[in-house]
């Protein structure tokens, strides 16, 4: 336990380091039935962890897709031709579709009550949004993934405002969007904002 305490102290405020030390400790089999009890005992109540409630309404609002797709296609035996068309759609939330709900509700949030830093893990990939293609489209997709690839979006140790309601925002680079059966893709970037009110 003294060795564990030293390693935890060496981590300081780094949640990534703290989690790594505790995982290694758990895997070593030295911690008894509850290897994470040591962290709780050393820092009682410091970390608050939350997960989306899959039995309730875990997400509300609208997920939108507004793309302008352009490039060059070569339809043999015809010569290359430039194309440009729109792809627009929306997915209203909440949804009764269990596949959509399982994706959206896989949200996890951790709060460090000593620093008010927030860590978020969001599952965004593969969320299907129904779309309509504009004039000039040569593909026939009826839906598209909100974001493709890269697994869950993880934002660690994000600074927030103080007080009971923690708010913050940050720019993100996350996955890609594609069309034409994945032959054309573009990286996605944006901004994510959060507001967390907990007791």
């Amino acid at each position: 336990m003294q060795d564990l305490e030293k390693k935890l102290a060496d981590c300081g405020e780094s949640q990534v380091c703290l989690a790594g030390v505790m995982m290694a400790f758990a895997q070593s089999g030295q911690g008894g039935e509850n290897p994470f009890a040591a962290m709780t005992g050393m820092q009682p109540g410091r970390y608050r962890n939350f997960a989306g409630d899959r039995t309730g309404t875990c997400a509300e609002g609208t997920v939108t897709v507004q793309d302008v797709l352009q490039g060059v296609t070569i339809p043999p035996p015809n010569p290359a031709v430039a194309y440009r068309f729109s792809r627009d759609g929306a997915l209203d939330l909440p949804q009764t579709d269990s596949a959509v709900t399982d994706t959206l509700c896989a949200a996890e949030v951790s709060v460090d009550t000593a620093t008010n830093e927030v860590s978020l893990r969001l599952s965004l990939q593969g969320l299907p949004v129904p779309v309509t293609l504009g004039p000039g489209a040569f593909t026939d997709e009826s839906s598209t993934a909100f974001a493709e690839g890269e697994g869950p979006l993880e934002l660690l140790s994000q600074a927030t405002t103080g007080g009971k309601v923690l708010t913050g925002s940050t720019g993100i680079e996350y996955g890609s969007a594609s069309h034409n059966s994945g032959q054309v893709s573009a990286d996605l970037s944006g901004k994510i904002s959060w507001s967390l009110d907990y007791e």
Side-chain angles (χ1 to χ4, degrees):
M1 288 305 296
Q2 290 177 345
D3 181 54
L4 174 64
E5 291 176 6
K6 182 182 183 312
K7 288 179 180 177
L8 290 172
D10 290 344
C11 285
E13 301 296 324
S14 171
Q15 291 184 32
V16 174
C17 178
L18 289 168
V21 169
M22 292 309 298
M23 279 303 218
F25 181 68
Q27 292 172 354
S28 71
Q30 300 175 20
E33 294 182 3
N34 185 3
F36 292 94
M39 178 181 283
T40 304
M42 292 177 64
Q43 300 173 327
R46 176 173 175 176
Y47 297 96
R48 302 285 303 272
N49 300 300
F50 306 90
D53 181 2
R54 296 180 187 228
T55 63
T57 301
C58 63
E60 296 179 331
T62 303
V63 179
T64 59
V65 171
Q66 294 179 319
D67 298 329
V68 175
L69 309 170
Q70 59 186 4
V72 175
T73 182
I74 306 174
N78 300 320
V81 59
Y83 67 84
R84 179 183 175 93
F85 63 90
S86 63
R87 179 172 66 183
D88 299 295
L91 177 68
D92 292 325
L93 305 175
Q95 279 282 321
T96 56
D97 185 326
S98 60
V100 172
T101 303
D102 285 347
T103 296
L104 288 171
C105 295
E108 299 173 4
V109 179
S110 294
V111 178
D112 183 339
T113 60
T115 64
N116 279 339
E117 290 180 335
V118 171
S119 295
L120 304 105
R121 181 182 176 122
L122 308 173
S123 179
L124 299 177
Q125 74 278 15
L127 186 64
V129 179
V131 293
T132 301
L133 305 181
F138 60 91
T139 59
D140 60 358
E141 62 256 42
S142 58
S143 67
T144 186
F146 175 68
E148 301 167 340
E150 290 197 10
L153 171 65
E154 292 185 333
L155 302 172
L156 303 177
S157 302
Q158 299 294 306
T160 66
T161 60
K164 184 178 178 181
V165 179
L166 304 180
T167 60
S169 63
T170 187
I172 60 171
E173 302 285 335
Y174 178 77
S176 62
S178 68
H179 73 107
N180 196 18
S181 300
Q183 295 180 31
V184 181
S185 65
D187 294 336
L188 296 179
S189 61
K191 183 178 182 181
I192 186 169
S193 302
W194 60 88
S195 177
L196 181 64
D197 183 356
Y198 72 98
E199 296 179 0

